Amino acid sequence: MSIPTEPIGSIPRPRALQEALAEHAQGHLDDAELAKLQEQATVDTLARLEELGCPVLVDGEQAKPSFATYPITGLATLDPAGAVIPFADGHTRQLPRLTAGPFRYQVHADTYLHDARRHTDRPLKQAVIAPSALSLLYPAEPLDNYPREAFLRDLADEAEADIRRCLEAGAHVVQLDFTEGRLSLKLDPSGTLLDDFIALNNEVLGRFTEAERARLGVHTCPGGDHDSTHSLDVDYAGLLPKLFQLKVGNFYVQLASEADPEPVLRIIADQLRPGIRVFVGVTDPITTIVETPEEVRDRVLLAARHIPVDQLGTCDDCGFSPFADDTSTSRETAFAKIEARVKGTALAAQTLGL
């Protein structure tokens, strides 16, 4: 396609997998049976995305417990009572808290990439969690014999390895999920926390070559869980100028669910630099209304007034089910929205004469 289009990451799990996850959590289903159902869901996800004409595929995170916590699955040095993330509808998500060092990833994202590669030869995108999100695992009170500075060094090394292993495994692009960026301005309106997040992420990203960074991207959104957000009320104007300081070649920006996208597009236009591409969100995963291809086309054409088409792409605003237990969006709705994105992007390219 002349205007690239990509999914963000997660796709709602099939009902059979949802039921299996609940049985596994209760000890009624073993790891091997769960893995078999996760693989079946991955195969189905890849096949359906391919049928819809998606030029870039994802595994839908069918085997991840969540977009954020996959690296620490099985880590023994955790306490469940960590940072709490409140959502607009009143529900919360809680991260665990580190209790001892050293910090090491238990699972790397290339595991999912290798599993998906066995079932398709199409370009595969791999989402990874940004180190800034995992920095929230360290408690407010310093840990004995493991100061925060040592933790951040270990975290940066682990995050680099996570990204590098995906690149070496042949990922079309590796996307850092950075939903905590916008949230940080709600937690700390001074912007200091956001500055710390940007610095940590750039410490990792700066370890890659220019050619490698062309295959790296960062995704920002105000959260999307149980059809609610955690920071949609935070003005993008405080985030975007700092977001575009990140050393990546691709930016995936939630936009479809913005009440007024044009001011956001003007900010993006002011931050553009040569060699980057901005993928604007054209479908909203937390609504049940399926966009028409024509609605998607019009959103792309609006973005093209501000972003040169050779630096423009499209995406979904967010993953459709970033936590495995989120059933608020049906699998069929997600695929219908993805189909609208693919078709609408093609319509926009045709309208633009590309």
Side-chain angles (χ1 to χ4, degrees), residues 294-322:
E294 291 75 19
E295 287 173 323
V296 170
R297 175 201 62 199
D298 292 345
R299 289 172 178 174
V300 181
L301 294 178
L302 175 62
R305 297 179 200 166
H306 300 270
I307 302 170
V309 290
D310 62 347
Q311 292 185 272
L312 179 62
T314 67
C315 61
D316 308 302
D317 267 3
C318 189
F320 288 90
S321 183

Side-chain angles (χ1 to χ4, degrees), residues 141-154:
E141 294 297 322
L143 296 174
D144 292 340
N145 303 314
Y146 195 54
R148 181 175 178 80
E149 293 74 16
F151 163 71
L152 291 177
R153 286 195 297 271
D154 286 343

